[in-house]
């Protein structure tokens, strides 16, 4: 409430990585991750996850479509992280989930998860979010967990409807303590999701081509860019995304 605005206080969990001023301005000062917390005098609080990188890191996303992966070769190829599909819909876990996690952990490859949604209502989104949480429980991702939203039927909905579905999913997942990211293709972010909702989450944007194509279709900030659907990496025998 506006009546509490004057009582806001901001803190950073690691000031060697991210410092925050009394007005809430965050300054990156070192490489790593930190949590910025804002509190009001009543004790209510909210958290925002901040990750600072010192270089571009190349990663891959994988699912059952990449088959049995030789993760030792992936590690040797210089891949810095993997985004692993964990699930899709409200009852389908990716059959290669456990193998892919084990491979990443064995060869010290940081990983995150993504869930592909088919939710058409807010209730369905919450159901899928809980299924996603159940599927990834017991694992320890160091990269974000991601809502993959891109189905064709969303184009027939209003921005408000799509945003409500997205928010219901992400709020459910974030309330369990995860760093949540949203994935879609560049034009979907621009045309089918309310821009105000995107400021609350990290963005993973798909735009296959060069920088100019990406900038022409998406003007917002992003943490990850999926720039190819035909990338090849040692140890993976089916083409995948980079």
């Amino acid at each position: 409430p506006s009546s509490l605005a004057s009582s806001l206080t901001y803190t950073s969990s690691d000031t060697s990585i991210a410092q925050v001023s009394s007005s809430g301005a965050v300054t990156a000062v070192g490489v790593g991750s930190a949590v910025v917390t804002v509190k009001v005098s009543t004790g209510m609080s909210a958290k925002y996850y901040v990750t600072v990188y010192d270089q571009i890191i190349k990663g891959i996303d994988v699912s059952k479509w990449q088959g049995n992966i030789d993760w030792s070769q992936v590690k040797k190829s210089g891949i810095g992280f993997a985004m692993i599909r964990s699930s899709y819909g409200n009852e389908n876990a990716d059959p290669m989930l456990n193998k892919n996690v084990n491979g990443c952990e064995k060869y010290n490859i940081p990983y995150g998860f993504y869930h592909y949604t088919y939710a058409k209502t807010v209730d369905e989104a919450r159901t899928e979010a809980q299924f996603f949480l159940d599927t990834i429980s017991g694992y320890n991702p160091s990269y974000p967990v991601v809502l993959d939203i891109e189905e064709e039927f969303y184009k027939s909905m209003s921005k408000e409807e799509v945003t409500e579905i997205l928010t219901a999913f992400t709020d459910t997942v974030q309330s369990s303590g995860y760093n949540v990211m949203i994935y879609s293709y560049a034009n979907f972010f621009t045309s089918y999701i309310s821009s105000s909702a995107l400021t609350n989450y990290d963005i993973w944007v798909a735009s296959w081509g060069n920088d100019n194509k990406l900038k022409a279709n998406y003007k917002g900030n992003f943490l990850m860019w999926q720039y190819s659907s035909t990338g090849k990496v040692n140890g993976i025998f089916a083409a995948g995304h980079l």
Side-chain angles (χ1 to χ4, degrees), residues 60-63 71 82-87 94 96-104 109-115 132 136 144 204:
I60 54 175
D61 80 74
V62 297
S63 66
W71 286 100
M83 300 303 293
I84 300 171
R85 187 177 75 165
S86 64
S87 45
D94 190 291
M96 298 301 291
L97 169 61
N98 197 54
K99 282 189 175 182
N100 285 335
V101 171
N102 288 342
C104 286
I109 300 172
Y111 63 88
F113 295 117
Y114 69 96
H115 173 91
F132 181 34
I136 64 176
W204 175 10

Side-chain angles (χ1 to χ4, degrees), residues 69-91:
I69 296 173
D70 184 341
W71 286 100
S72 66
Q73 292 300 311
V74 172
K75 178 71 172 182
K76 291 176 183 177
S77 72
I79 290 298
F81 69 94
M83 300 303 293
I84 300 171
R85 187 177 75 165
S86 64
S87 45
Y88 51 99
N90 60 15
E91 60 180 5

Side-chain angles (χ1 to χ4, degrees), residues 3 24 40 66 74 80-81 83 89 102 120 122 143 149 151 177 224:
S3 61
V40 296
Q66 278 66 59
V74 172
F81 69 94
M83 300 303 293
N102 288 342
K120 294 182 177 180
V122 166
Y143 269 60
I149 182 166
E151 274 293 296
M224 291 186 192

Side-chain angles (χ1 to χ4, degrees), residues 26 45 60 73 125 154 191 198 219 224 238:
V26 178
S45 65
I60 54 175
Q73 292 300 311
Y154 291 116
S191 301
L198 299 179
K219 306 299 184 184
M224 291 186 192

Side-chain angles (χ1 to χ4, degrees), residues 15 35 40 67 71 84 100 112 130-131 133 137 147-148 160 175 202 211 218 223 227 231:
T15 55
V35 180
V40 296
W71 286 100
I84 300 171
N100 285 335
Q130 189 57 57
F131 175 66
L133 289 169
S137 65
L147 168 64
D148 181 345
E160 290 73 20
S175 67
D202 288 325
D211 288 347
Y218 179 71
L223 181 62
Y227 65 88

Side-chain angles (χ1 to χ4, degrees), residues 12-19 26-35 50-53:
S12 170
S13 64
D14 191 334
T15 55
S16 68
I17 294 171
Q19 296 178 355
V26 178
T27 302
V29 293
V31 177
S33 295
V35 180
V50 177
T51 302
V52 182
Y53 298 93

Side-chain angles (χ1 to χ4, degrees), residues 32-68:
S33 295
V35 180
V36 173
T37 303
V38 56
K39 290 184 178 180
V40 296
S41 57
T42 60
M44 296 175 63
S45 65
K47 294 181 179 181
Y48 189 80
Y49 296 86
V50 177
T51 302
V52 182
Y53 298 93
D54 64 347
Q55 61 182 323
I56 294 174
I57 303 171
K58 288 188 176 182
I60 54 175
D61 80 74
V62 297
S63 66
K64 70 176 184 179
W65 302 112
Q66 278 66 59
N68 285 297

